[in-house]
C-alpha cells in the first residue's frame, strides 16, 4: 500500500460521511428530527477525522512532498484554502447545533451548513482524486510513497481514531433516520 492509497481510502470513508450528511440535511429540511447525539457524531467525525487526521496527512506530508518538486503548487494552495473553508463550515455547524441544543430554533442553519459541507466534500474530493492520480503517476517515487505510508501508519493513536470513526459511520448508516 502507498500513501496515495491511504488518502484514497480516507476519501472512501468521507464519501460515506457525505451520504450520511445528505440524508441528514434532507430530513432536517423536511422537519424530521435527527437525534442531537447523531448530529454531534457527524461534527466529531468532521473535526477528528477530516481535520485532525486526513487534512493533517495531506498538509504536513503529502502536499509538502509533492510541492517540494515545484509541481502542482497552485492546486496545493487551493486545497489548503478549501481545507480552511471546511473547518469554518464545521465550526458553524457545531455552533448552531449547540445553540439548537440550548433551545434556540437553529434547525435551518444546521441543515444549510450540512448541505454546504456535503457539496464541499463532493467537489473537494473529486479534485483531490485527480490530483492524487497526477502525483502518483508523475511526481512521487515508490520510495516516497512508502515512506509517507509508514509515517501515516506509525501513529497508533491515529489508527485507533480511524477505527473509531469507521464505527461511528457504521452506526450512523444503521440509524432509523437513515433507513427511512
Amino acid at each position: 500500500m502507498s500513501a496515495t492509497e491511504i488518502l484514497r481510502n480516507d476519501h472512501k470513508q468521507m464519501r460515506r460521511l457525505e451520504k450520511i450528511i445528505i440524508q441528514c440535511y434532507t430530513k432536517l429540511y423536511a422537519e424530521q428530527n435527527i437525534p442531537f447525539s447523531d448530529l454531534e457524531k457527524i461534527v466529531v467525525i468532521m473535526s477528528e477525522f477530516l481535520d485532525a487526521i486526513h487534512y493533517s496527512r495531506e498538509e504536513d506530508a503529502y502536499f509538502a512532498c509533492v510541492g517540494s518538486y515545484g509541481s502542482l503548487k497552485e492546486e496545493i494552495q487551493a486545497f489548503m484554502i478549501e481545507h480552511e473553508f471546511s473547518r469554518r463550515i464545521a465550526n458553524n455547524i457545531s455552533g448552531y447545533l449547540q445553540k439548537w441544543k440550548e433551545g434556540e430554533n437553529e434547525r435551518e442553519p444546521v441543515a444549510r451548513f450540512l448541505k454546504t459541507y456535503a457539496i464541499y466534500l463532493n467537489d473537494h474530493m473529486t479534485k483531490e482524486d485527480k490530483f492524487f492520480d497526477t502525483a502518483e503517476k508523475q511526481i512521487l517515487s515508490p520510495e516516497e510513497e512508502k515512506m509517507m505510508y509508514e509515517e501515516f501508519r506509525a501513529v497508533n493513536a491515529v489508527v485507533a481514531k480511524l477505527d473509531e470513526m469507521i464505527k461511528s459511520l457504521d452506526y450512523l448508516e444503521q440509524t432509523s433516520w437513515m433507513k427511512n
Side-chain angles (χ1 to χ4, degrees):
M1 187 173 267
S2 68
T4 303
E5 289 174 297
I6 283 184
L7 295 174
R8 281 192 182 110
N9 285 339
D10 287 354
H11 279 199
K12 288 178 186 174
Q13 301 307 321
M14 292 162 63
R15 291 282 182 198
R16 292 175 65 197
L17 176 63
E18 176 191 12
K19 289 177 185 174
I20 291 166
I21 291 172
I22 290 168
Q23 273 282 43
C24 188
Y25 76 70
T26 301
K27 302 276 185 188
L28 291 174
Y29 276 131
E31 298 296 319
Q32 296 176 25
N33 291 322
I34 308 285
F36 286 130
S37 60
D38 291 353
L39 293 168
E40 289 168 333
K41 277 188 189 313
I42 291 168
V43 171
V44 166
I45 292 169
M46 288 174 183
S47 65
E48 292 185 6
F49 171 64
L50 269 77
D51 191 11
I53 296 174
H54 181 74
Y55 293 165
S56 177
R57 286 174 170 172
E58 290 177 339
E59 293 171 1
D60 299 339
Y62 200 84
F63 293 163
C65 188
V66 172
S68 71
Y69 288 94
S71 300
L72 305 172
K73 286 193 176 224
E74 288 179 22
E75 291 89 340
I76 291 168
Q77 183 62 34
F79 292 143
M80 300 288 276
I81 291 167
E82 289 179 12
H83 288 178
E84 185 56 34
F85 178 68
S86 166
R87 291 177 183 109
R88 289 180 184 198
I89 299 168
N91 283 338
N92 277 309
I93 294 167
S94 181
Y96 283 113
L97 181 58
Q98 186 59 40
K99 288 180 184 178
W100 191 12
K101 282 180 62 180
E102 293 168 358
E104 297 180 41
N105 184 8
E106 300 293 350
R107 172 188 294 269
E108 190 283 328
V110 169
R112 179 171 14 104
F113 281 106
L114 284 168
K115 183 175 183 178
T116 302
Y117 202 86
I119 293 166
Y120 156 78
L121 278 177
N122 182 46
D123 179 68
H124 182 74
M125 287 188 293
T126 299
K127 291 185 287 191
E128 277 192 347
D129 286 341
K130 290 177 186 172
F131 175 88
F132 295 156
D133 290 343
T134 302
E136 185 178 46
K137 290 175 186 163
Q138 298 176 12
I139 298 168
L140 297 173
S141 70
E143 294 78 23
E144 289 167 320
E145 286 273 14
K146 184 174 191 237
M147 179 190 70
M148 282 187 288
Y149 168 80
E150 295 298 332
E151 183 180 323
F152 292 168
R153 299 298 297 167
V155 182
N156 288 330
V158 170
V159 174
K161 188 56 75 178
L162 284 170
D163 290 342
E164 184 180 313
M165 184 271 315
I166 289 170
K167 288 177 184 167
S168 291
L169 288 170
D170 292 342
Y171 164 81
L172 289 165
E173 288 172 335
Q174 298 304 315
T175 60
S176 60
W177 60 266
M178 278 293 292
K179 293 182 179 187
N180 293 333

